[in-house]
């Protein structure tokens, strides 16, 4: 989406879409806040009505966005351990669905096309067993691509593959840094999924949508 730059606008300019927060980007007739900024849209200088049409339609998912309080982050992978919520994005956005931890059904860390780490509730598991400094240094020398794939049990939420290292994007400059990042994310997701396996009935995660 193409937005006009914010130039000499009053600091108290309120978002035209939600009417709650200060606008950060120009749209037709006013400003839009970062929560309401749509993603992957192609039109220029949209109206507030056009922006609103691109927002998540599920009221429960919208409530999660309002409730989200970040407790840990790995680049753009954001976690809220208090409310047990997860999303991918630089900040909460009404265009980016938020998953509850209980809806994270599995994941794969795919290195150069090969899944080196994955975990899922169907019993198929293969975790990073070795992560010593020596292992990371040796294993990372020839790596060109690292991608995180995550499975959602919620039918209306699809997690797009997250590029940890690739031709266009990388979370760290070095191969070693990217592999260490992947291992850290893997450990975080392992803990979440292990809790889901151990006590699935207690992870309703719906209190934040009341």
């Amino acid at each position: 989406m193409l937005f006009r730059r914010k130039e000499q606008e009053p600091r108290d300019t309120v978002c035209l879409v939600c009417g709650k927060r200060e606008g950060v980007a120009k749209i037709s007739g006013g400003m839009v806040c970062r929560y309401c900024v749509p993603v992957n849209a192609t039109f220029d200088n949209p109206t507030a009505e056009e922006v609103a049409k691109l927002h998540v339609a599920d009221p429960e998912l919208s409530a999660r966005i309002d409730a989200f309080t970040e407790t840990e982050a790995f680049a753009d992978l954001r976690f809220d351990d208090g409310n047990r919520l997860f999303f991918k994005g630089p900040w909460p956005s009404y265009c980016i669905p938020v998953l509850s931890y209980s809806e994270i059904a599995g994941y794969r860390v795919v290195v150069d096309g090969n899944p080196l780490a994955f975990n899922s509730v169907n019993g198929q598991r293969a975790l990073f067993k070795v992560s010593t400094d020596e292992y990371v240094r040796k294993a990372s020398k020839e790596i060109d691509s690292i991608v995180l794939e995550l499975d959602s049990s919620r039918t209306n939420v699809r997690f797009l593959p997250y590029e940890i290292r690739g031709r266009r994007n990388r979370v760290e400059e070095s191969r070693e840094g990217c592999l260490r990042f992947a291992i850290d994310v893997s450990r975080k997701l392992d803990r979440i999924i292990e809790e889901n396996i151990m006590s699935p009935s207690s992870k309703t995660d719906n209190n934040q949508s009341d």
Side-chain angles (χ1 to χ4, degrees), residues 106-111 114-120 124-129 135 146-149 179 182-183 185-187 189-190:
Y107 78 92
R108 286 159 303 284
V109 175
V110 182
V111 180
N114 300 309
L116 291 193
F118 55 86
N119 193 337
S120 61
Q124 187 181 34
R125 305 174 68 202
L127 315 181
F128 279 115
K129 290 182 170 56
Y135 165 79
I146 305 177
V147 175
L148 172 68
E149 298 175 351
L179 182 56
I183 292 172
V185 171
S186 174
R187 288 172 175 165
L189 293 172
D190 287 344

Side-chain angles (χ1 to χ4, degrees), residues 125-157:
R125 305 174 68 202
L127 315 181
F128 279 115
K129 290 182 170 56
V130 181
S131 58
T132 63
D133 289 341
E134 182 180 3
Y135 165 79
V136 172
R137 283 194 295 269
K138 288 182 178 179
S140 60
K141 286 182 179 179
E142 304 300 326
I143 289 176
D144 291 320
S145 169
I146 305 177
V147 175
L148 172 68
E149 298 175 351
L150 190 146
D151 302 321
S152 166
S153 64
R154 192 180 183 94
T155 57
N156 64 339
V157 176

Side-chain angles (χ1 to χ4, degrees), residues 5-197:
R5 283 186 173 274
K6 182 177 179 180
E7 297 176 354
Q8 298 180 346
E9 293 283 346
R11 293 298 296 172
D12 60 350
T13 298
V14 176
C15 172
L16 282 180
V17 179
C18 69
K20 298 177 181 178
R21 303 175 182 88
E22 181 188 353
V24 297
K26 188 80 168 61
I27 62 173
S28 178
M31 308 294 295
V32 63
C33 73
R34 68 182 189 178
Y35 277 63
C36 292
V37 169
V39 294
N40 299 327
T42 57
F43 49 77
D44 182 21
N45 197 29
T47 65
E49 290 74 18
E50 289 172 324
V51 169
K53 287 179 181 178
L54 298 176
H55 285 186
V56 172
D58 188 324
E60 183 179 359
L61 296 181
S62 296
R64 292 176 182 179
I65 294 165
D66 288 327
F68 193 92
T69 304
E70 181 179 305
T71 58
E72 190 171 11
F74 301 88
D76 282 344
L77 304 175
R78 310 282 177 164
F79 296 87
D80 175 357
D81 290 335
N83 292 307
R84 296 184 57 79
L85 298 172
F86 162 82
F87 84 104
K88 178 187 70 172
W91 48 67
S93 167
Y94 291 114
C95 296
I96 302 175
V98 173
L99 286 176
S100 73
Y101 284 4
S102 65
E103 293 165 347
I104 298 177
Y107 78 92
R108 286 159 303 284
V109 175
V110 182
V111 180
D112 290 335
N114 300 309
L116 291 193
F118 55 86
N119 193 337
S120 61
V121 294
N122 66 8
Q124 187 181 34
R125 305 174 68 202
L127 315 181
F128 279 115
K129 290 182 170 56
V130 181
S131 58
T132 63
D133 289 341
E134 182 180 3
Y135 165 79
V136 172
R137 283 194 295 269
K138 288 182 178 179
S140 60
K141 286 182 179 179
E142 304 300 326
I143 289 176
D144 291 320
S145 169
I146 305 177
V147 175
L148 172 68
E149 298 175 351
L150 190 146
D151 302 321
S152 166
S153 64
R154 192 180 183 94
T155 57
N156 64 339
V157 176
R158 177 171 173 261
F159 180 89
L160 297 176
Y162 181 71
E163 194 172 59
I164 296 173
R165 181 176 179 85
R167 292 182 178 180
R168 294 179 297 177
N169 301 307
R170 57 193 62 179
V171 297
E172 300 284 350
E173 277 303 312
S174 69
R175 289 181 170 87
E176 182 177 332
C178 288
L179 182 56
R180 290 185 185 279
F181 178 96
I183 292 172
D184 289 342
V185 171
S186 174
R187 288 172 175 165
K188 178 71 175 182
L189 293 172
D190 287 344
R191 289 193 294 269
I192 291 172
I193 294 173
E194 192 67 32
E195 290 172 1
N196 291 342
I197 294 171

